[in-house]
Amino acid sequence: MLRVILLIGALAVSPVAHAAGGGGEKLPNEHWSFEGPFGTYDRGALQRGYQIYSQVCSACHSMKYLSYRNLSALGYSPDEVKAIASQYTIIDGPDDEGEMFERPGKPSDRFKAPYANDNAAKYVNNGALPPDLSLITKARPNGANYVYGLLTGYEDHAPEGEELATGQYWNKYMDGHKIAMAPPLADEVVAYEDGSATTLDQYARDVTQFLTWAAEPEMEVRKRTGIKVLLFLSIFAFIMWRVKKKIWKNVKY
Amino acid sequence: MSSSTKDPKNGETRRDFLYLTAAAFGAVGAGSVAWPFIDQMNPAADTLALSTIEVDLSPIEEGQAITVMWRGKPVFIRHRTAKEIEEANATDITMLRDPESDSQRVKEGQEKWLVMVGICTHLGCVPLGQKDTDKKGDFDGWYCPCHGSHYDSAGRIRLGPAPKNLEIPDYKFLSDTLVRIG
Amino acid sequence: MAGGTREKLDNPVMEWVDSRLPIFTMMQKEYGVFPTPKNFNYFWNFGAIAMVMLVTMIITGITLAMHYVPHADMAFDSVERIMRDVNHGWLLRYLHANGASFFFIAVYIHMFRGMYYGSYKQPRELLWILGVVIFLLMMATAFMGYVLPWGQMSFWGATVITNLFSAIPLVGDSIVTLLWGGFSVDNPTLTRFFALHYLMPFVIFAVVFLHVWALHITGSNNPLGVDAKGKQDTLPFHPYYTMKDAFGILVFLIIYLGYAFFAPNDLGHPDNYIPANPLVTPSHIVPEWYFLPFYAILRAITFDVDLVLVAVGMVALGVAFIATPYKYLESILKMMEKSFLNFLGFSAKNIKTLKGVGLITLGLAILLNYFLNDFNFTIIPAKLGGVLAMFGSIAMLFALPFIDKHPVRSSRFRPYYKAAFLIFVANAFVLGICGGKPAEGFWVPLSQLTTAYYYAFFIVVLPILNKKEPVLELPSSINEAVLAKNKDKK
């Protein structure tokens, strides 16, 4: 009987699993350290990914749900976090005279956004709005592979018969293939300090790792807790099964 | 224990053990489930991140005071006059309800600065005395209008229903004119 | 719940309370010694499981409401704050979001059990109807809850579903404006949805109380569908079913928490992690999975029902009437005979031909008129038709106890009903799949076909089975069936 229930449960959810998808080529299926029930983030990749975000992506993309204090999860010490935050100039205020003023960033500040508002962002970017990246891997189906695919999926020319307008680029994995973002990464554009390869592939991997962490900072704790909870419940369920058997021992049903 | 395994009531014992284990699991489970639902009410990470502030003291003239917000509460910072410090030191602390010397309430070498949480220890009102025009009570300090508690120039309770002196928060002088509260 | 005779309790404090408010006596009667058929299978766990899910939803919901901000500018941000900053906030939200899905899974299995074993039949009709009321309230609550995070799917889901009401003739648009509190889904809509989303679970709780009350009046059905006749057929609820339920609940929780901890977003939609944007509709709007079959029915009606269609239907029905042998129509015609036609002296046999000829004539007349005078008149536009079909599909559930009057309850003794019902269930899954696909190509006729079977099950199949399905010999009691089964085993 239980098998029937499980089957029904599985059938019930199956339509959702393939409800998503659409446009573009099939996404690459890369191996990520954060996959699976025991998956964790790679701290080195996270720090390199943050380096790429801060040196490249942040020129156009905001990450408004993150604060500098969150960077301690990447393995930075409190003083390092303070130092990172203080590199940015934050507009605060109004002060006692009613004026806005500039001050160095503090760990409690949100990541500084590249543009004052969406309209300013669109104006600078030919009318296209660079999306906020805090949740990007959760906001796209198969998010991590999507980000990795998009960053590595640029082609030099559109295929025959396709026209690209000025400011458009051809990307294998973009919905509709035409993308307003110029290829942001290429070999050697960012200098790594830890000796990791400075290739497009490595950059894309690192920034994907970082963006996945940004969208799901709770993931490691969540999975760790989940293992404990399921272990506990499995033992408890086994005990209750024995209890039930014992109680029902003398009943014919 | 060993003798009871041969007991004909062995089945009974094992059943009891099974039931007790089940009950124990139930209790542990219920307890661990309760915690997240209670702990969610504690201050969140963003609230904690804002729990320290830095205040620049340079614009405060002698005899003046400012009020800053810290963790949603007013903090009184007073640049005391020599007369006020003298008064505070001259008080016989054995007579006080909450005996504390003035030196216990300020940082060494920075005696002119009095930093305290501006909340009356009686029932949580904000005492008067920050502005020159305020009523300062009978002891040249602060006066709580709600129930008439008088605090002296070191913020100690002298008269009225309040049980304790005004609370001193954790703070530290980063320089002579910069203080970090919290 | 009346006082009645009460036995004194040993504990003086309990006795003091119980003599004034006999709550312990009631618990003992309703959950302690309550006689429960002894042959339940694990399908009978799902009432208790659904109850656990309701309580889980209420507790996680209340704690989330302590941090959520019901304002169009802040709702999305406050949900992100819950996920990132609030202590265990991610756990509360994932438990709540996945809890909705698993509440529906529990309730759908509970409904499956009710239909499979005929639990809706006399004397449990009201018990079933209260259950359908709970189901409807759950759908409303779940829908409004899905709007609260104010993501793209929230916003466009709210827009599409509230627009359903615009299909109502004459007052539709005014009703939609009223629901919105403006001229589009906006902040007033969000705040009222939050208020109602917080209220509804307590209404559900009250109806659940009535549902359980009604259950304790009639007693439970069981897999054989025969009434419990005495002590040999039943067991006290405690400890037999309390412990069995506890085991079932734990197994269900393992699956539920498996999702909440390891695949918390698999049952949701990525677009809802994009803040609501009234200027851009996502390319493919789908409701949550538990609404998909109903969504498919909504979209299946792609055609206007106009007079020509009605006329063709009349002719077809007339032909069918004349062609069908009398004995198959007997009961329907007997019913008609009781109407005013009886005064005119028609017998049931006469009505058959009269009805047939009358329908054909009327149908042909309309058609003739159409071709001669170009007379075209839409009776039900497709939009209204879809809405009616969707709400009608739930109305069918309400009517079920009055449609299926076959004296045998359990499918175990109704092979034809069992086949028709299992096809109905498979059909509902196909509808669900159709609901998740874009409304184009092959999916449109498939959803129309499955919608047709959904209705045919209630309107055609059940009435025919009522009449035609033989009444098999049932075991005379639960105990006897149990003894027979155990003898077979040996």
Side-chain angles (χ1 to χ4, degrees):
Chain A
M1 204 41 84
L2 199 65
R3 247 179 301 149
V4 178
I5 297 166
L6 288 176
L7 184 70
I8 291 171
L11 280 174
V13 298
S14 63
V16 191
H18 40 81
E25 215 158 298
K26 201 170 175 304
L27 289 172
N29 188 13
E30 295 297 310
H31 172 74
W32 302 106
S33 68
F34 46 79
E35 288 172 327
F38 301 99
T40 51
Y41 293 119
D42 169 354
R43 291 289 177 287
L46 288 182
Q47 295 198 1
R48 294 193 298 272
Y50 172 66
Q51 190 189 347
I52 293 171
Y53 169 74
S54 57
Q55 291 180 14
V56 182
C57 320
S58 66
C60 301
H61 292 278
S62 59
M63 287 186 91
K64 61 177 176 176
Y65 295 115
L66 276 91
S67 303
Y68 295 111
R69 66 187 158 85
N70 298 135
L71 292 174
S72 59
L74 268 50
Y76 292 114
S77 69
D79 286 331
E80 284 172 319
V81 171
K82 254 189 195 169
I84 292 171
S86 63
Q87 293 164 6
Y88 296 89
T89 309
I90 304 289
I91 296 176
D92 201 348
D95 62 12
D96 294 344
E97 290 158 26
E99 301 293 330
M100 301 305 276
F101 60 93
E102 290 185 340
R103 61 164 175 79
K106 293 187 289 193
S108 60
D109 287 319
R110 298 289 183 103
F111 277 18
K112 194 183 178 182
Y115 305 105
N117 51 54
D118 283 0
N119 288 359
K122 275 191 222 170
Y123 181 74
V124 177
N125 291 288
N126 273 330
L129 176 67
D132 185 90
L133 294 183
S134 332
L135 284 165
I136 200 76
T137 60
K138 268 162 125 183
R140 299 286 182 276
N142 196 359
N145 286 320
Y146 170 84
V147 169
Y148 173 80
L150 198 77
L151 291 173
T152 54
Y154 280 91
E155 312 247 308
D156 291 342
H157 304 285
E160 296 266 331
E162 295 278 357
E163 285 290 321
L164 288 175
T166 343
Q168 281 190 331
Y169 303 87
W170 190 265
N171 192 304
K172 276 195 284 190
Y173 301 112
M174 180 71 182
D175 216 4
H177 297 298
K178 289 173 188 169
I179 185 169
M181 173 169 73
L185 296 171
D187 291 353
E188 311 287 333
V189 291
V190 176
Y192 278 155
E193 283 161 15
D194 65 356
S196 299
T198 49
T199 58
L200 168 62
D201 183 74
Q202 185 64 37
Y203 293 147
R205 267 166 213 287
D206 291 345
V207 85
T208 300
Q209 181 99 210
F210 171 71
L211 290 176
T212 308
W213 166 79
E216 299 182 82
E218 88 298 341
M219 188 213 67
E220 289 176 344
V221 181
R222 167 158 61 76
K223 287 178 175 172
R224 266 205 311 274
T225 318
I227 301 276
K228 281 185 239 161
V229 168
L230 291 193
L231 260 175
F232 176 85
L233 280 178
S234 307
I235 299 169
F236 194 7
F238 176 78
I239 292 170
M240 281 316 295
W241 177 58
R242 297 311 306 167
V243 167
K244 186 251 162 192
K245 279 264 177 216
K246 205 103 199 167
I247 288 173
W248 282 73
K249 200 171 61 181
N250 298 319
V251 181
K252 288 192 169 29
Y253 59 93
Chain B
M1 291 277 177
S2 58
S3 66
S4 73
T5 50
K6 284 174 196 143
D7 202 332
K9 276 160 69 184
N10 178 31
E12 194 68 22
T13 328
R14 220 179 55 183
R15 197 179 68 181
D16 285 350
F17 176 71
L18 190 62
Y19 293 166
L20 282 175
T21 319
F25 264 76
V28 171
S32 359
V33 167
W35 176 240
F37 291 94
I38 297 165
D39 189 38
Q40 54 89 16
M41 289 200 268
N42 275 319
D46 57 337
T47 313
L48 292 174
L50 292 173
S51 60
T52 62
I53 55 164
E54 287 174 13
V55 183
D56 180 12
L57 302 177
S58 52
I60 310 171
E61 304 279 334
E62 189 174 308
Q64 281 193 337
I66 62 161
T67 306
V68 294
M69 277 288 272
W70 173 69
R71 294 182 180 175
K73 296 183 281 196
V75 169
F76 293 168
I77 302 175
R78 183 163 182 85
H79 191 164
R80 297 190 294 179
T81 59
K83 174 174 164 274
E84 286 167 357
I85 298 171
E86 199 180 307
E87 278 172 4
N89 279 321
T91 310
D92 175 9
I93 63 167
T94 56
M95 302 291 288
L96 297 178
R97 183 176 296 162
D98 181 12
E100 264 184 313
S101 68
D102 188 58
S103 58
Q104 283 172 289
R105 298 181 55 78
V106 294
K107 301 283 180 208
E108 207 182 331
Q110 301 286 358
E111 285 84 0
K112 61 184 179 180
W113 295 108
L114 181 62
V115 180
M116 10 176 240
V117 176
I119 290 183
C120 179
T121 55
H122 180 219
L123 291 171
C125 296
V126 178
L128 298 174
Q130 285 292 89
K131 280 185 276 180
D132 288 345
T133 51
D134 279 354
K135 198 171 168 184
K136 287 175 178 290
D138 298 350
F139 300 89
D140 202 16
W142 287 264
Y143 169 71
C144 181
C146 291
H147 305 95
S149 291
H150 297 253
Y151 296 92
D152 67 12
S153 56
R156 293 172 296 199
I157 180 64
R158 301 295 287 272
L159 186 67
K164 292 204 168 288
N165 303 334
L166 290 175
E167 186 196 339
I168 306 290
D170 278 341
Y171 70 96
K172 197 171 142 190
F173 280 91
L174 300 176
S175 71
D176 275 352
T177 56
L178 189 65
V179 66
R180 188 178 70 206
I181 304 174
Chain C
M1 251 163 256
T5 49
R6 202 178 63 80
E7 273 181 44
K8 242 174 148 28
L9 299 171
D10 291 339
N11 183 317
V13 178
M14 281 162 74
E15 172 59 23
W16 187 91
V17 172
D18 205 61
S19 57
R20 285 157 181 81
L21 179 70
I23 190 159
F24 297 110
T25 302
M26 188 195 87
M27 287 305 288
Q28 176 65 6
K29 178 166 165 270
E30 303 298 338
Y31 286 101
V33 296
F34 189 70
T36 313
K38 64 179 179 181
N39 60 335
F40 281 178
N41 54 34
Y42 276 99
F43 274 120
W44 264 262
N45 275 19
F46 283 88
I49 290 172
M51 188 70 202
V52 167
M53 290 315 298
L54 175 61
V55 172
T56 306
M57 293 306 280
I58 289 179
I59 294 175
T60 50
I62 290 173
T63 43
L64 284 171
M66 294 181 188
H67 306 283
Y68 173 74
V69 183
H71 188 285
D73 294 341
M74 286 176 273
F76 193 94
D77 292 5
S78 72
V79 172
E80 273 312 304
R81 182 174 172 270
I82 290 171
M83 292 299 290
R84 290 161 191 274
D85 288 333
V86 172
N87 302 319
H88 312 284
W90 57 268
L91 175 61
L92 301 180
R93 174 159 175 269
Y94 280 154
L95 286 179
H96 198 71
N98 288 282
S101 284
F102 279 84
F103 193 7
F104 271 97
I105 289 175
V107 165
Y108 277 133
I109 297 174
H110 192 56
M111 290 166 77
F112 168 85
R113 191 267 286 150
M115 286 178 82
Y116 187 83
Y117 294 108
S119 302
Y120 52 85
K121 287 188 183 176
Q122 198 273 333
R124 299 186 184 83
E125 300 95 327
L126 191 57
L127 177 59
W128 169 265
I129 289 170
L130 286 167
V132 182
V133 171
I134 294 169
F135 179 54
L136 255 184
L137 290 171
M138 274 174 68
M139 297 215 289
T141 312
F143 160 65
M144 289 190 287
Y146 194 58
V147 175
L148 301 185
W150 212 238
Q152 274 289 66
M153 276 293 163
S154 299
F155 182 87
W156 292 100
T159 302
V160 168
I161 301 298
T162 48
N163 263 317
L164 290 181
F165 294 91
S166 69
I168 300 169
L170 302 176
V171 292
D173 286 335
S174 318
I175 289 179
V176 173
T177 310
L178 179 82
L179 288 176
W180 287 342
F183 302 101
S184 64
V185 173
D186 207 341
N187 193 47
T189 328
L190 176 62
T191 40
R192 68 191 55 184
F193 276 21
F194 176 63
L196 293 173
H197 181 73
Y198 202 113
L199 168 72
M200 296 283 262
F202 301 100
V203 180
I204 293 178
F205 207 88
V207 185
V208 167
F209 180 79
L210 297 179
H211 186 71
V212 173
W213 188 2
L215 172 72
H216 281 233
I217 300 297
T218 60
S220 295
N221 186 30
N222 63 79
L224 291 169
V226 298
D227 290 326
K229 295 201 172 65
K231 268 206 140 58
Q232 70 284 1
D233 290 343
T234 62
L235 293 168
F237 191 79
H238 180 73
Y240 293 98
Y241 285 112
T242 43
M243 293 303 127
K244 191 176 177 182
D245 279 347
F247 169 58
I249 287 165
L250 286 170
V251 172
F252 190 83
L253 283 181
I254 289 174
I255 304 169
Y256 160 42
L257 295 178
Y259 266 91
F261 280 109
F262 296 103
N265 294 308
D266 277 18
L267 296 171
H269 199 288
D271 276 303
N272 226 25
Y273 282 109
I274 303 172
N277 180 353
L279 300 178
V280 183
T281 308
S283 54
H284 182 42
I285 301 187
V286 280
E288 292 290 79
W289 67 266
Y290 36 83
F291 291 135
L292 289 176
F294 300 99
Y295 193 59
I297 293 177
L298 170 76
R299 296 192 309 184
I301 311 300
T302 50
F303 45 86
D304 294 345
V305 177
D306 55 27
L307 219 45
V308 175
L309 213 61
V310 174
V312 172
M314 281 175 165
V315 174
L317 199 64
V319 172
F321 240 83
I322 294 171
T324 317
Y326 172 69
K327 56 176 183 174
Y328 294 111
L329 297 169
E330 199 178 348
S331 61
I332 305 171
L333 291 169
K334 279 266 160 61
M335 226 157 64
M336 289 178 174
E337 198 188 7
K338 284 180 194 138
S339 68
F340 77 105
L341 288 170
N342 200 23
F343 291 108
L344 302 175
F346 290 103
S347 75
K349 267 212 156 87
N350 286 334
I351 300 174
K352 181 171 110 78
T353 331
L354 185 79
K355 271 269 166 191
V357 173
L359 280 171
I360 295 172
T361 321
L362 197 63
L364 289 177
I366 295 170
L367 280 179
L368 195 68
N369 214 331
Y370 172 72
F371 287 117
L372 292 181
N373 302 329
D374 200 18
F375 175 70
N376 195 356
F377 180 67
T378 297
I379 296 174
I380 304 172
K383 183 172 168 186
L384 179 60
V387 174
L388 289 177
M390 188 181 73
F391 285 111
S393 63
I394 294 160
M396 288 291 130
L397 294 174
F398 276 109
L400 179 60
F402 309 105
I403 294 174
D404 181 10
K405 294 283 202 183
H406 197 273
V408 178
R409 291 201 189 99
S410 172
S411 286
R412 286 195 186 170
F413 308 105
R414 291 190 67 186
Y416 297 101
Y417 172 81
K418 183 178 179 175
F421 174 63
L422 291 178
I423 293 171
F424 174 82
V425 174
N427 185 69
F429 280 109
V430 178
L431 269 174
I433 294 167
C434 291
K437 298 288 177 191
E440 56 194 34
F442 149 80
W443 298 106
V444 177
L446 186 62
S447 53
Q448 287 167 342
L449 195 72
T450 41
T451 301
Y453 183 74
Y454 184 100
Y455 274 97
F457 175 75
F458 291 101
I459 296 174
V460 183
V461 178
L462 287 182
I464 290 176
L465 290 181
N466 258 340
K467 190 78 198 145
K468 291 293 178 199
E469 181 152 17
V471 178
L472 299 181
E473 197 193 339
L474 299 178
S476 62
S477 78
I478 296 172
N479 193 41
E480 200 167 276
V482 167
L483 291 178
K485 191 178 82 178
N486 284 324
K487 205 158 73 187
D488 285 351
K489 266 189 204 160
K490 283 166 198 164

